[in-house]
Amino acid sequence: EDQVTQSPEALRLQEGESSSLNCSYTVSGLRGLFWYRQDPGKGPEFLFTLYSAGEEKEKERLKATLTKKESFLHITAPKPEDSATYLCAVPAYSGAGSYQLTFGKGTKLSVIP
Amino acid sequence: DSGVTQTPKHLITATGQRVTLRCSPRSGDLSVYWYQQSLDQGLQFLIQYYNGEERAKGNILERFSAQQFPDLHSELNLSSLELGDSALYFCASSPSLITGTDTQYFGPGTRLTVL
């Protein structure tokens, strides 16, 4: 069964204190790994897609990396506005040529001024 | 703004009732997905439609059903509501079937409260 596990469940950082979030996955034939940011009560906001091991993508203070077993979301010098829940997801084959996203439970990041 | 719209934003109803949630995908997207998010379960895939046809089912209860109309908007119908159905319901859309290469863009969600 395809699984996605995120750690830690919650992370509290001081403003400017860099850290990393982890997403480990077990899926046969990875077709991509997605990172989303979700603010309370809002819909997930797309951040990155990674397709192959060794790939890296950056956006402002965020950098996502991918290995064969896990992905990391590195946050450099975070600001309070980076506080959110970060979700990762992988496509799982659901038959008839379709794929569905399996999400991890997320890491809730709090950045303290 | 992802371009995906959902109505209503909030819905409060009683147990046993039936409600309909509506979703309009991004312009040009043919696939629509429905998700349920509750505090203890995280984001759970319910069902997918592609160009009017049901293509995949996830953890969707028999009391729930969905459809996608010719103009590509979709509706999720929830009936015989129970307290445990209280959750955020999200719609997402993507251009095609292959989520391995297509990004899903999420709407703002509908918060359902069953009293």
Side-chain angles (χ1 to χ4, degrees):
Chain A
E1 181 181 324
D2 299 328
Q3 285 194 329
V4 180
T5 304
Q6 292 188 246
S7 62
E9 289 185 11
L11 182 61
R12 191 178 169 95
L13 298 174
Q14 289 294 127
E15 184 173 0
E17 179 187 2
S18 301
S19 188
S20 296
L21 314 182
N22 178 264
C23 171
S24 63
Y25 60 89
T26 54
V27 61
S28 52
L30 183 69
R31 296 181 65 85
L33 186 142
F34 297 81
W35 281 99
Y36 288 84
R37 168 195 169 125
Q38 187 176 24
D39 292 306
K42 304 286 181 64
E45 175 190 346
F46 170 71
L47 293 174
F48 305 108
T49 309
L50 302 167
Y51 291 110
S52 58
E55 188 175 0
E56 298 183 352
K57 288 195 176 171
E58 288 188 62
K59 179 180 179 180
E60 296 182 353
R61 294 175 294 282
L62 300 177
K63 182 168 82 172
T65 62
L66 182 65
T67 72
K68 289 186 178 179
K69 294 182 180 179
E70 58 192 347
S71 177
F72 292 94
L73 186 64
H74 307 278
I75 303 177
T76 302
K79 298 182 177 182
E81 52 262 42
D82 295 322
S83 297
T85 294
Y86 291 86
L87 301 167
C88 72
V90 296
Y93 188 63
S94 52
S98 294
Y99 290 77
Q100 65 184 67
L101 286 181
T102 298
F103 280 85
K105 291 189 181 294
T107 293
K108 183 176 181 180
L109 174 66
S110 301
V111 182
I112 313 303
Chain B
D1 184 355
S2 67
V4 179
T5 61
Q6 290 186 248
T7 57
K9 286 186 178 180
H10 303 279
L11 203 46
I12 301 175
T13 189
T15 54
Q17 294 299 305
R18 171 189 165 97
V19 297
T20 298
L21 282 52
R22 182 188 169 105
C23 167
S24 293
R26 295 187 320 154
S27 176
D29 284 358
L30 298 177
S31 272
V32 170
Y33 311 79
W34 286 97
Y35 291 85
Q36 179 191 59
Q37 188 175 43
S38 54
L39 282 175
D40 56 342
Q41 291 294 323
L43 203 58
Q44 298 286 317
F45 169 72
L46 295 178
I47 196 165
Q48 177 198 4
Y49 277 80
Y50 174 74
N51 205 19
E53 292 186 9
E54 180 187 305
R55 294 307 299 256
K57 269 188 172 180
N59 301 318
I60 188 167
L61 300 171
E62 286 192 8
R63 299 183 285 109
F64 296 0
S65 65
Q67 53 185 325
Q68 186 179 28
F69 294 87
D71 67 352
L72 300 177
H73 90 272
S74 178
E75 294 180 356
L76 179 67
N77 300 296
L78 315 176
S79 61
S80 302
L81 285 168
E82 301 174 359
L83 296 177
D85 297 328
S86 297
L88 276 165
Y89 291 84
F90 291 105
C91 164
S93 74
S94 72
S96 69
L97 278 173
I98 306 173
T99 62
T101 53
D102 279 358
T103 298
Q104 290 185 27
Y105 292 91
F106 283 77
T110 293
R111 180 177 293 279
L112 174 66
T113 302
V114 183
L115 301 176

